[in-house]
Amino acid sequence: MKKTNISSRRIAVYLGLALFLGTTACDKEELLNPAPEVSISGANAFDTADRILALVNGIYKAAKNANFYGGNYYTYTEARGEEFINRTSNTFTAFEAWSQTLNAGSNFVAGFWAAAYTTINNSNILIKGIADNPGKVTDVVGKQYVAEAKFLRALSYFDLVTLYARPFNEDKGASKGLPLRLLAETTTANNDLKRSTVAEIYAQIIKDLDEAEANLPLTYSTSLLNTTRAHRNTAIALKTRVYLNSGNYAKVIEEAKKIVSTTAPYTAGTGVAHKLQNIVEIFTTNYTSTESILSVPMTELDNVTGQSSFPYVFNANSEYNLNPAGIWGETEWKSTDLRRTFARTASGVQFLTKYNKPSPFLDYLPIIRYSEVLLNYSEAAARTGDLQTATALLQAVRGRSDASYVFPSAAISTQTALVSTILKERRIEFLGEGFRSNDLLRNLFTIPAKSSSALIAPAVEPSQTNYIFPLPNTEITSNKLLL
């Protein structure tokens, strides 16, 4: 890894300069710790409970980097799919991803890699620091903090492996994956590390999530914290995503059943009482509802603006309009569906308004919602032959936004048709939430071509090298064992 991306960033994050994740660790009623001291050295970073909590918050902050869940992760993964049309050819706002021309020197290819590995290294340092400094926090709190670090490490590795490595379902994970960095690094001494296989990366992700589930709290004291910090159900929900990605449908169902009731209305019976909520409200006025399993909060003092902000690029600055040949043009997505209200029309085209706050862009960006767990469960049930359960879960998601809609029998009567309908529902439900690119790749689908009157992006077949992101030059030049 590039020295400035890990070592110097680690110093900034860990030596008291870590900014809290917006309102993640506190709100007006609950200030969990005072502002960190700026004079803390590496030798005493773990000396007090307040400092350790600041380091935990620093990991969340790293995941909120502008190149990660602060903005660009959504911009680039959405631009790769077929749901949006680029209008500006602006290289700094994902035109290379939209046109399928990303290369090893592209800014985002290097920037996301660095942001994700910074989050991973921050997690590793926290895990080691807790072990090396016993008694600074209680055993229960220490285990919780380590569990949060493992959750965030797992999330980061999942996002990396699904962008930079071949899809698991192509060869059951036998392809080369990523350097699996599990040690706390404060120098560049261990930069040289070969890539583990995709299967090995997935195994580590599940291991981290299993261990996180065991030690994360069932709930926090406020809905804000339940939305912005990992708890038990957060780890379970992410496992349904990971197992779905690797085609392990039995495990998707096993995990989902922990937090999904057997009949509608579906709710989580333990931990945070997750359930579906009004789709408009959760994106406008109720960011901390029980549907929100994990989100990135934004405040006026701690938000991502400009060309790294997904709301700015896709809405305020009108750089991408909704593709009428994409899911926006789906005839079975009726005008009575509330999700159709997430758009504005200008110059004869539509722009996504799911994130609609003006600058500063204070919309919370969702990472995991309860509707995803239901659709993950639905797809796994359909693929294993339980069409009744799959249909009921699918109907719950559609019915929340359009109570009048009934799926045509042809769309749900066979396994093949039902899986196709569920995948289509995912395109509607998660439009603008960073899912489409990965849904194409995990199913080994062609990335469709798209075009406007002036711009054309070609289709990309699974056999092509640009089906996945290239490894960044910054890593290639500093890690002699990478290739």
Side-chain angles (χ1 to χ4, degrees), residues 75-131:
T75 299
Y76 279 74
T77 52
E78 285 296 331
R80 285 204 85 205
E82 75 272 40
E83 311 297 12
F84 296 93
I85 297 298
N86 182 279
R87 300 168 60 82
T88 64
S89 303
N90 184 353
T91 300
F92 293 102
T93 52
F95 178 68
E96 291 173 310
W98 185 84
S99 60
Q100 314 299 349
T101 57
L102 283 168
N103 60 72
S106 297
N107 287 334
F108 180 73
V109 168
F112 175 71
W113 181 278
Y117 270 109
T118 295
T119 305
I120 289 166
N121 195 51
N122 289 357
S123 300
N124 293 341
I125 290 174
L126 188 283
I127 292 167
K128 183 177 188 297
I130 293 289

Side-chain angles (χ1 to χ4, degrees), residues 152-458:
L152 290 164
R153 182 169 71 181
L155 177 66
S156 301
Y157 268 124
F158 179 80
D159 293 331
L160 283 165
V161 78
T162 53
L163 285 177
Y164 295 88
R166 300 299 302 181
F168 185 99
N169 290 329
E170 184 175 62
D171 55 9
K172 298 188 183 300
S175 300
K176 286 184 178 180
L178 313 163
L180 187 55
R181 299 186 182 276
L182 302 175
L183 300 178
E185 302 293 353
T186 59
T187 73
T188 60
N190 296 319
N191 269 4
D192 295 336
L193 183 66
K194 70 177 183 178
R195 287 190 280 169
S196 297
T197 66
V198 170
E200 289 169 335
I201 300 296
Y202 271 80
Q204 181 62 46
I205 291 168
I206 292 298
K207 181 176 184 292
D208 275 347
L209 292 176
D210 283 341
E211 293 173 359
E213 178 189 352
N215 290 309
L216 286 169
L218 285 175
T219 65
Y220 291 96
S221 59
T222 68
S223 59
L224 176 63
L225 296 178
N226 285 336
T227 300
T228 56
R229 286 182 73 167
H231 49 77
R232 175 181 173 272
N233 290 356
T234 321
I236 294 169
L238 184 55
K239 279 196 281 184
T240 70
R241 182 186 296 182
V242 177
Y243 280 127
L244 186 70
N245 232 69
S246 61
N248 193 338
Y249 305 121
K251 291 296 288 185
V252 175
I253 294 168
E254 178 184 322
E255 295 295 334
K257 283 183 175 180
K258 295 177 182 179
I259 56 175
V260 179
S261 57
T262 56
T263 58
Y266 298 106
T267 59
T270 62
V272 178
H274 299 299
K275 62 180 180 179
L276 297 175
Q277 300 283 359
N278 181 290
I279 189 65
V280 175
E281 291 179 2
I282 65 175
F283 282 98
T284 55
T285 61
N286 193 11
Y287 296 125
T288 61
S289 79
T290 53
E291 178 161 343
S292 302
I293 298 178
L294 183 66
S295 294
V296 176
M298 296 291 180
T299 74
E300 291 182 355
L301 297 178
D302 185 25
N303 72 306
V304 176
T305 60
Q307 293 180 323
S308 295
S309 169
F310 183 82
Y312 173 78
V313 173
F314 276 68
N315 183 9
N317 209 41
S318 303
E319 296 197 39
Y320 289 85
N321 65 268
L322 287 159
N323 183 3
I327 197 62
W328 188 251
E330 169 58 40
T331 57
E332 284 298 319
W333 185 9
K334 304 298 184 181
S335 61
T336 49
D337 194 316
L338 289 174
R339 295 170 297 189
R340 280 286 189 188
T341 64
F342 292 136
R344 62 177 174 86
T345 300
S347 302
V349 296
Q350 288 72 45
F351 297 88
L352 184 71
T353 60
K354 185 174 275 188
Y355 315 101
N356 202 31
K357 293 289 188 296
S359 181
F361 303 100
L362 302 181
D363 297 275
Y364 282 30
L365 298 176
I367 298 175
I368 308 172
R369 293 195 287 119
Y370 194 57
S371 61
E372 183 202 346
V373 177
L374 298 187
L375 289 178
N376 291 348
Y377 187 178
S378 178
E379 183 179 337
R383 291 185 184 276
T384 55
D386 185 357
L387 305 193
Q388 181 177 358
T389 297
T391 300
L393 291 160
L394 172 66
Q395 185 63 59
V397 175
R398 175 63 70 102
R400 177 269 298 273
S401 299
D402 188 353
S404 66
Y405 184 79
V406 177
F407 286 98
S409 59
I412 58 176
S413 58
T414 69
Q415 183 180 53
T416 299
L418 181 54
V419 169
S420 178
T421 301
I422 294 166
L423 293 175
K424 190 176 295 182
E425 191 69 21
R426 290 176 67 89
R427 293 173 66 186
I428 296 171
E429 178 69 12
F430 305 128
L431 183 63
E433 297 182 46
F435 282 79
R436 182 56 180 159
S437 174
N438 183 56
D439 274 357
L440 289 165
L441 268 62
R442 71 178 173 87
N443 287 291
L444 300 176
F445 292 161
T446 298
I447 301 175
K450 61 237 176 183
S451 64
S452 66
S453 58
L455 300 171
I456 299 176

